[in-house]
Amino acid sequence: MAQVSGAHFVITLLISPRRPSALIRLAGEIDMEADPALSGVVERLSIIAPTEVVVDLADVAFASSALPNFLARAHIALAADSALVVCRPGGSVLRLLRITNMEELVTLRADLPVAGDWTPSSAAPLVALPAFGASTD
């Protein structure tokens, strides 16, 4: 497990040793202050070469363009057959992801998939994501 934190953010990277998969948990404010740490995560992903990367956004309070930029860089760093899954975005974060067309690069999920050694105890039940424009906040 690797964890990086700043004044307003925490980034945790968990790697499953059984299969090449990673869980990235973002928390707090994901803005330009978090960008150097996010770049380090992208670099680590390119070395690990996981077949699946799950990004948990449940604890993100605010996200700027740093979040879609990170997701685009992670998508580029992964092999073409790798899955990049973004889970549990809040209302304003979901709007940001949809406005920036992140659904073209990532799979959006309302729940956290259960997988391997990094399965957290707080896995959420499957819930449909609201339609774009629907109020969630």
Side-chain angles (χ1 to χ4, degrees), residues 112-131:
L112 188 62
V114 177
D117 298 326
W118 51 256
T119 301
S121 60
S122 62
L126 179 60
V127 179
L129 290 171

Side-chain angles (χ1 to χ4, degrees), residues 68-90:
N69 183 286
F70 160 68
L71 294 172
R73 289 182 290 149
H75 172 75
I76 291 168
L78 296 172
D81 60 344
S82 295
L84 182 56
V85 182
V86 176
C87 301
R88 305 191 302 172

